[in-house]
Amino acid sequence: AALAVEHGVDGLFVSNHGGRAENSRRATITSLPDVVAGVAGRIPIICDGGFRRGTDVFKAIALGATAAGIGRPYIWGLGAFGQE
């Protein structure tokens, strides 16, 4: 993360995009504190992956993410009940 900032990155996504399907990979939320430390508040961090409920979003924000992405819960809602 620090190297990315040094090379002019404007923001970072912390995401494993399905990496947890294979049990030996780190969860996104586990990686987040290391990325936050490397960025040191210089750029925004969006955390994505594994969020199932609102408390997961609060945890990511508490750990230093600027925002959190929630793809699956949104898709589940559309799949279950359709668009209003």
Side-chain angles (χ1 to χ4, degrees):
L3 187 60
V5 172
E6 288 175 24
H7 284 88
V9 170
D10 293 324
L12 285 175
F13 273 89
V14 179
S15 179
N16 60 8
H17 283 286
R20 294 290 294 163
E22 204 272 275
N23 290 329
S24 67
R25 304 291 179 236
R26 290 174 70 181
T28 303
I29 201 80
T30 304
S31 301
L32 181 60
D34 293 334
V35 175
V36 169
V39 165
R42 295 175 285 182
I43 60 173
I45 300 169
I46 301 171
C47 190
D48 179 22
F51 295 103
R52 302 291 185 265
R53 58 189 72 81
T55 55
D56 296 332
V57 174
F58 287 124
K59 289 174 190 176
I61 300 299
L63 288 171
T66 308
I70 53 164
R72 269 187 220 166
Y74 177 75
I75 297 299
W76 289 338
L78 287 174
F81 304 107
Q83 185 175 355
E84 290 288 326

